[in-house]
Amino acid sequence: MNLEFTVEELAFQREVREWFTENVPASLKARSDNGQMPDKDEQHGWEQTLGKKGWLAVGWPAQHGGPGWTATQRYIFDLERARAGAPPASPFGVSMVGPVLYTFGSADQKKRHLTGIVSGDVHWCQGYSEPNSGSDLASLKTAAVRDGDHYVVNGQKIWTTQAHWADWCFCLVRTDPVVKQQQGISFLLIDMSTPGIEIRPIHSIDGHHHLNEVYFTDVRVPVENLVGSEGMGWTIAKFLLTHERTTIAGVADSKREIERLKQMLKDTKQGSGCRWDDAFARRRVAELEIDLAALEYTNFRTVAATEEGKGLGAESSGLKIKGTELQQAITQAMVELGGHLSLTWDNDEPVGNFAFNRTRERYNFLRAATIYGGTNEIQKNVIAKMLLGL
Ligand SMILES: Cc1cc2nc3c(=O)[nH]c(=O)nc-3n(C[C@H](O)[C@H](O)[C@H](O)COP(=O)(O)OP(=O)(O)OC[C@H]3O[C@@H](n4cnc5c(N)ncnc54)[C@H](O)[C@@H]3O)c2cc1C
């Protein structure tokens, strides 16, 4: 495997880097520098900026409105995006329902939905999990019963990220309660402004509201919003989850976060916390960098495989496990090396190095990384099945 970028790829990297330098808003970069997430307006505004440039749906083929980049170009783009302090695009439109629609959708569905995703004007959420159906997703109960030209949807979803920001929800629903569980599931597009939908917030330990419960009571969804045919939902869900897991490794952001940790240690004044001069702090950073290098090489292998037209199998599960463990280890190191500086809360006066004060938020958020996108235990089951035949 040749790890050198070609002359064309290096030119592409320069172009992307310059564009990010000129276009990432200072307020967005300041948030990243302090380990904070953007709010709704910042996130959506940034996605629209990318959309105008044609760089939002970067994984899409050109015929559907993507830039038609190679896997290596996408990798370079993501590195430069994180390096510039810009957040990743919300995955629900561009990485999840978009690829589903251009792969399985009807001509009308493509015409109606793809443009809004590519431009960053229309926002989506993912209605899969239910209170008793997370890892065991096939047991989901939210029912869609055919009534003339509509499905009538009743049930409840949970952990629905950004449902309160979303215009549309792609939902797994049960259209047949009699057949084998997987065969009775369908994939439905639901307009979030339809009467009968109630969104209740769930506040998480990072102090923010990303998550929701979504209740459906006699929600009427036009039949033309069914993707594929009835009972095809499980096939579509499996296709989509592989997409979700390849973006979840977060190599580019972990790279940036390790650089940020180094900078925090370098900025710390004598006597106010761990510093770059401390050998144990440098050793801790070195351990993280070794894990990052291993993850990055695995990522390179998947990039090379994608370039050769090979689909991803167990690799995406491996990337999810190692990527999320590294994300947690980096924030763990930040909190421990920050010591008392990491213990402040939003309403406290800043103490010492401000960047350390903000590590709590990201640390707390990333505890969920080994759960969302399919828990890491389930990924290990996937690997066991695919590689070991267990
Ligand atoms: C921050 C966050 C955002 C999320 N966003 C969304 C979203 O936008 N849309 C959406 O639909 N869902 C979302 N989810 C839900 C997520 O997909 C589920 O939490 C996840 O699939 C696990 O399901 P569960 O929470 O019901 O846990 P359970 O499935 O009840 O699992 C509990 C524990 O048991 C383990 N376990 C379960 N089954 C097995 C098994 N067979 N073998 C070994 N161990 C097992 C699990 O690994 C876990 O540790 C989000 C979750 C979080 C935390």
Side-chain angles (χ1 to χ4, degrees):
M1 183 172 55
N2 181 7
L3 295 178
E4 302 283 314
F5 291 140
T6 62
V7 174
E8 291 77 21
E9 285 161 353
L10 288 171
F12 173 77
Q13 184 172 33
R14 277 194 300 279
E15 179 196 347
V16 171
R17 185 172 294 186
E18 275 167 29
W19 188 84
F20 276 121
T21 307
E22 283 163 21
N23 289 282
V24 177
S27 61
L28 208 54
K29 184 169 183 310
R31 276 202 192 255
S32 307
D33 288 345
N34 289 319
Q36 293 170 301
M37 287 189 219
D39 64 21
K40 178 184 173 186
D41 290 343
E42 285 169 327
Q43 179 73 31
H44 288 182
W46 172 239
E47 288 177 8
Q48 282 168 330
T49 303
L50 286 171
K52 278 199 190 89
K53 177 72 179 163
W55 284 0
L56 179 57
V58 292
W60 293 24
Q63 81 254 36
H64 298 303
W69 286 342
T70 61
T72 307
Q73 282 176 305
R74 296 202 295 274
Y75 178 74
I76 291 172
F77 177 82
D78 201 41
L79 277 185
E80 294 303 322
R81 189 262 317 145
R83 187 177 177 277
S90 174
F92 305 113
V94 292
S95 304
M96 297 187 186
V97 75
V100 162
L101 289 175
Y102 64 66
T103 309
F104 300 98
S106 66
D108 280 351
Q109 286 166 348
K110 288 180 198 164
K111 194 161 167 239
R112 178 164 187 196
H113 295 293
L114 294 185
T115 315
I117 298 174
V118 172
S119 66
D121 291 326
V122 179
H123 305 282
W124 288 78
C125 63
Q126 178 186 29
Y128 275 24
S129 305
E130 297 182 4
N132 293 310
S133 304
S135 302
D136 181 20
L137 189 59
S139 68
L140 64 91
K141 291 198 170 50
T142 296
V145 177
R146 184 82 185 251
D147 177 26
D149 292 341
H150 288 79
Y151 286 103
V152 181
V153 179
N154 280 285
Q156 185 202 341
K157 297 292 173 182
I158 194 166
W159 313 120
T160 324
T161 304
Q162 295 172 1
H164 56 310
W165 293 4
D167 306 296
W168 284 82
C169 179
F170 56 91
C171 237
L172 289 182
V173 292
R174 186 158 299 286
T175 40
D176 188 336
V178 177
V179 294
K180 193 176 162 229
Q181 275 186 341
Q182 283 83 349
Q183 289 164 3
I185 295 173
S186 300
F187 193 97
L188 213 51
L189 311 175
I190 303 183
D191 182 338
M192 290 298 277
S193 64
T194 318
I197 298 179
E198 187 195 347
I199 301 172
R200 297 188 196 162
I202 300 173
H203 295 275
S204 42
I205 53 169
D206 61 353
H208 289 283
H209 168 204
H210 320 278
L211 303 169
N212 301 278
E213 294 178 290
V214 182
Y215 291 83
F216 299 89
T217 309
D218 294 333
V219 176
R220 293 186 72 79
V221 180
V223 168
E224 61 260 27
N225 289 5
L226 176 74
V227 180
S229 51
E230 266 191 27
M232 206 179 153
W234 194 248
T235 305
I236 297 177
K238 281 196 294 188
F239 164 89
L240 187 150
L241 281 173
T242 311
H243 270 255
E244 182 177 2
R245 281 175 201 145
T246 51
T247 53
I248 243 164
V251 170
D253 291 282
S254 286
K255 213 171 215 187
R256 178 174 206 273
E257 286 300 291
I258 291 176
E259 287 309 311
R260 208 164 66 79
L261 171 58
K262 282 188 196 166
Q263 196 56 50
M264 282 151 74
L265 291 164
K266 287 174 187 166
D267 289 346
T268 301
K269 304 263 179 312
Q270 187 82 44
S272 69
C274 291
R275 305 173 67 228
W276 188 242
D277 291 348
D278 298 320
F280 69 89
R282 289 205 306 278
R283 184 193 166 102
R284 190 78 185 263
V285 171
E287 285 167 357
L288 294 171
E289 286 187 319
I290 290 166
D291 282 347
L292 174 71
L295 181 67
E296 200 174 11
Y297 277 80
T298 310
N299 212 39
F300 280 140
R301 288 217 306 272
T302 63
V303 169
T306 313
E307 294 283 26
E308 289 164 16
K310 294 183 191 148
L312 292 184
E315 296 92 334
S316 63
S317 293
L319 281 174
K320 201 265 167 172
I321 294 170
K322 296 309 287 180
T324 52
E325 284 177 354
L326 179 62
Q327 287 164 23
Q328 291 187 341
I330 295 168
T331 52
Q332 182 89 30
M334 280 180 178
V335 166
E336 288 178 10
L337 293 172
H340 71 286
L341 304 182
S342 311
L343 294 176
T344 58
W345 292 82
D346 287 348
N347 50 0
D348 289 343
E349 285 293 311
V351 182
N353 184 350
F354 179 71
F356 271 122
N357 295 175
R358 287 287 161 266
T359 53
R360 172 190 54 81
E361 185 177 313
R362 199 171 160 81
Y363 171 88
N364 282 341
F365 175 75
L366 285 173
R367 295 310 95 192
T370 47
I371 300 172
Y372 55 65
T375 70
N376 284 18
E377 290 77 23
I378 294 296
Q379 304 309 321
K380 287 177 187 168
N381 289 351
V382 171
I383 293 172
K385 226 184 228 168
M386 292 183 87
L387 294 186
L388 309 174
L390 298 175

